[in-house]
Amino acid sequence: FGDSICFGQHVSPYKNWVTRLSELLEKRLKVSVNNPSINGNTTRMALEIMPQDIQKYHVDVLLIQFGLNDCNYWETDSGLPRVSKAAFHANLLEIIERARIFGAKKIFFNTNHLCLRELPHAPIPFKESVLAYNQIIRDVAKQSKVILNDIEKYITSQIEQKKCDLNDLLLDDGVHLSEEGHNLYFEFLSTILLNELKEEK
């Protein structure tokens, strides 16, 4: 349940990490996976579509990744993020609450990878904004006792060990994942989810 990073914008739908992870989980655990992620969505938009896309299905497990749009600065917003930090925090808590009320027994939160996009009109560098919203995700995960998949830290460690380069993980827009980026997401998340969901099953 997320934005374009989960939808897989600009990459073949057969190669994005969600599709590959879905196939793996369906094959190994015989579960049904749905991906209602939408390009450009913020947590505010996510709450509006939860009744139709999440609550209606009474999902057992929910994986959530938002933030890159929430922390983004549009030139027309006069220096304000699309969703404030306080609202982002509150929205994540409400998403968790609603998911649990409607049956989710296990919830995963992904932090976001760092980006190379520059926003000349923004009051702070985009990278700094991503880091701040990732920390909110960590705080909410700890507060609400959901499982944190810290993608930012994992990818940063891979880069520090010279196992990959951020330029190769992203498309030319400096935000969306390349095929190599999707591969790294899949590599990181597949082991975690298989282990956690085997226990649940």
Side-chain angles (χ1 to χ4, degrees):
F1 186 42
D3 51 30
S4 57
I5 303 305
C6 298
F7 181 82
Q9 188 168 331
H10 306 311
V11 172
S12 167
Y14 302 105
K15 295 180 179 179
N16 73 56
W17 68 268
V18 175
T19 299
R20 293 175 61 198
L21 189 59
S22 300
E23 291 173 347
L24 179 67
L25 295 175
E26 290 183 2
K27 181 179 179 180
R28 296 276 190 91
L29 303 178
K30 311 300 180 188
V31 297
S32 175
V33 181
N34 185 39
N35 182 14
S37 303
I38 298 174
N39 292 338
N41 260 14
T42 64
T43 50
R44 184 177 293 125
M45 297 170 179
L47 282 169
E48 292 177 356
I49 64 172
M50 271 197 87
Q52 179 66 24
D53 288 348
I54 303 296
Q55 295 168 198
K56 183 173 80 171
Y57 296 103
H58 295 273
V59 299
D60 297 303
V61 177
L62 185 63
L63 186 149
I64 302 163
Q65 182 169 353
F66 291 100
L68 290 184
N69 294 306
D70 296 74
C71 78
N72 200 358
Y73 289 84
W74 283 10
E75 195 165 1
T76 52
D77 283 331
S78 299
L80 296 172
R82 291 186 66 194
V83 176
S84 71
K85 292 177 183 177
F88 183 63
H89 186 278
N91 291 344
L92 290 178
L93 288 174
E94 185 172 348
I95 288 171
I96 293 169
E97 180 184 17
R98 286 177 170 273
R100 284 178 169 155
I101 287 172
F102 284 87
K105 301 175 185 66
K106 191 158 280 192
I107 299 174
F108 298 86
F109 262 20
N110 290 355
T111 56
N112 291 285
H113 56 269
L114 297 182
C115 300
L116 296 172
R117 174 177 288 178
E118 298 293 341
L119 301 174
H121 56 274
I124 62 173
F126 188 54
K127 178 181 177 180
E128 187 177 323
S129 188
V130 173
L131 288 170
Y133 281 63
N134 276 348
Q135 189 55 50
I136 294 171
I137 293 169
R138 293 186 188 100
D139 294 342
V140 171
K142 183 176 181 180
Q143 176 183 350
S144 301
K145 298 179 180 177
V146 303
I147 300 164
L148 178 69
N149 302 319
D150 205 330
I151 287 169
E152 178 210 313
K153 286 189 175 179
Y154 174 71
I155 291 181
T156 299
S157 72
Q158 295 294 295
I159 293 170
E160 289 174 349
Q161 296 172 50
K162 302 190 183 305
K163 293 183 177 180
C164 62
D165 186 289
L166 187 58
N167 287 284
D168 297 328
L169 300 179
L170 304 178
L171 297 175
D172 290 342
D173 62 14
V175 173
H176 294 100
L177 298 169
S178 65
E179 285 187 25
E180 186 174 337
H182 281 277
N183 289 341
L184 201 60
Y185 261 64
F186 175 74
E187 172 190 302
F188 177 55
L189 294 170
S190 56
T191 301
I192 296 172
L193 265 70
L194 273 176
N195 289 336
E196 289 286 346
L197 299 184
K198 278 179 183 176
E199 292 177 10
E200 185 68 32
K201 198 167 175 64

